[in-house]
Amino acid sequence: MHLTARSLLPALSALFVIAAATACAPQDTSTGADAPSSSSAASSCDPGALATEAKGKLTVGTDKPAYAPWFQDDDPASGKGFESAVTYAVAKALGYEKNQVVWQTVPFNNSFAPGEKNFDFDINQISISDERKKAVDFSSGYYDVRQAVIALKDSPYAKATTTAALKDAKLGAQVGTTSLDTINQVIKPTRQPAVFQKNDFAKSALRNGQVDAIVVDLPTAFYITSAEVPDAKVIGQFADSAGAAEQFGLVLDKGSALTSCVSQAVDGLRADGTLAALEKQWLSDAVDAPVLK
């Protein structure tokens, strides 16, 4: 059957209208971990519906040793210590009992390095940053943290009250941490800082006089000075930069289908007071340190 040019006009006009409407329709250009991947994102957070590494299990990563006060006795599975307790609270909110949580050893720097992960989320005092977000997803922040400086009590830097007073000190911190960023970007020392693979090595260097002071997060600083290096003291803490709090977040694989569900769980724990209660229980000492000017 042959169509004349005149008989084609209505059909062509209709096609043009459809194409124009499609081209002008608003497109969903959202990217990034926080955007739900589909309209069923909410229902996919139902207990038992999560696409976890192992069916019916929640696989959680952290480094070894697992330091206090975040974990007790180097045993993440105990439920004791702030981050262990937070993990099980998040797991419960997601519908997993304690015996359904499986722990994996994941070195600190590997947790937020590019590449596929073998955990559902990692918890290890990992600060949320735009740079790290290029390689991994983060949950909502579960802890607002400040950095602090530790020096031996007989050190000439033990009485420092300003960052300027620390500029000539030999400072140290763990590699890849915001503690090291604080040294380089806030203190800006005249001497190259010492960089350590783990905080254990930084503590040994402080104890042996290889560095004048080290920078760690505030709860860790209080634990080190009370239980591990009693000859040291917390000199002070750093104020939040421009009013923005540094936060620890749970790390997930880039584009993980679990990110929005885990963030919802964390947000719920913050809203109902669970996070505040756990912070008071496990980190209550980390409240009183002078702010370095």
Side-chain angles (χ1 to χ4, degrees):
M1 176 179 176
H2 297 284
L3 296 176
T4 64
R6 179 175 297 177
S7 64
L8 281 171
L9 285 176
L12 291 173
S13 298
L15 286 172
F16 178 79
V17 170
I18 293 170
T22 302
C24 296
Q27 302 296 307
D28 182 5
T29 58
S30 63
T31 58
D34 295 333
S37 57
S38 72
S39 59
S40 62
S43 62
S44 67
C45 296
D46 292 341
L50 299 180
T52 54
E53 284 287 313
K55 188 174 181 180
K57 303 286 185 181
L58 189 67
T59 304
V60 182
T62 198
D63 205 350
K64 187 172 182 62
Y67 298 108
W70 311 103
F71 303 93
Q72 277 197 358
D73 302 320
D74 191 19
D75 182 12
S78 69
K80 297 178 179 179
F82 180 71
E83 290 192 329
S84 182
V86 167
T87 295
Y88 287 113
V90 170
K92 184 176 181 180
L94 293 173
Y96 294 88
E97 299 300 324
K98 187 174 181 179
N99 62 2
Q100 293 175 293
V101 176
V102 179
W103 289 89
Q104 292 268 21
T105 297
V106 180
F108 179 82
N109 285 333
N110 290 9
S111 63
F112 52 84
E116 190 174 350
K117 308 305 179 190
N118 63 350
F119 51 74
D120 294 312
F121 66 76
D122 187 279
I123 184 167
N124 192 23
Q125 307 110 66
I126 302 167
S127 296
I128 301 169
S129 73
D130 290 337
E131 183 64 28
R132 290 173 179 171
K133 282 183 179 179
K134 295 176 183 177
V136 294
D137 283 0
F138 278 96
S139 71
S140 301
Y142 62 87
Y143 179 67
D144 296 349
V145 65
R146 287 185 173 187
Q147 298 298 315
V149 185
I150 304 172
L152 295 180
K153 293 175 181 177
D154 60 1
S155 165
Y157 295 98
K159 295 182 179 179
T161 59
T162 65
T163 55
L166 297 169
K167 281 192 176 295
D168 294 329
K170 180 65 175 179
L171 303 172
Q174 183 177 340
V175 65
T177 61
T178 49
S179 301
L180 183 58
D181 292 341
T182 297
I183 292 175
N184 290 325
Q185 299 170 17
V186 179
I187 301 175
K188 300 177 182 178
T190 57
R191 304 166 68 183
Q192 189 73 17
V195 180
F196 303 96
Q197 194 64 36
K198 291 181 177 290
N199 269 336
D200 273 348
F201 303 146
K203 289 180 288 188
S204 294
L206 177 67
R207 193 184 291 114
N208 298 333
Q210 295 169 289
V211 293
D212 296 313
I214 60 174
V215 177
V216 295
D217 60 78
L218 187 57
T220 299
F222 274 98
Y223 182 78
I224 289 173
T225 54
S226 64
E228 299 182 311
V229 190
D231 291 337
K233 62 176 287 188
V234 179
I235 297 173
Q237 61 179 305
F238 295 91
D240 296 330
S241 176
E246 178 186 345
Q247 291 186 314
F248 291 158
L250 306 176
V251 176
L252 300 94
D253 205 355
K254 187 67 176 174
S256 171
L258 303 183
T259 301
S260 61
C261 299
V262 173
S263 284
Q264 286 176 38
V266 173
D267 291 342
L269 296 173
R270 186 178 288 277
D272 69 13
T274 298
L275 291 181
L278 293 177
E279 184 177 332
K280 183 177 181 180
Q281 179 181 359
W282 297 108
L283 306 178
S284 58
D285 289 341
V287 293
D288 187 24
V291 176
L292 296 167
K293 305 297 184 182

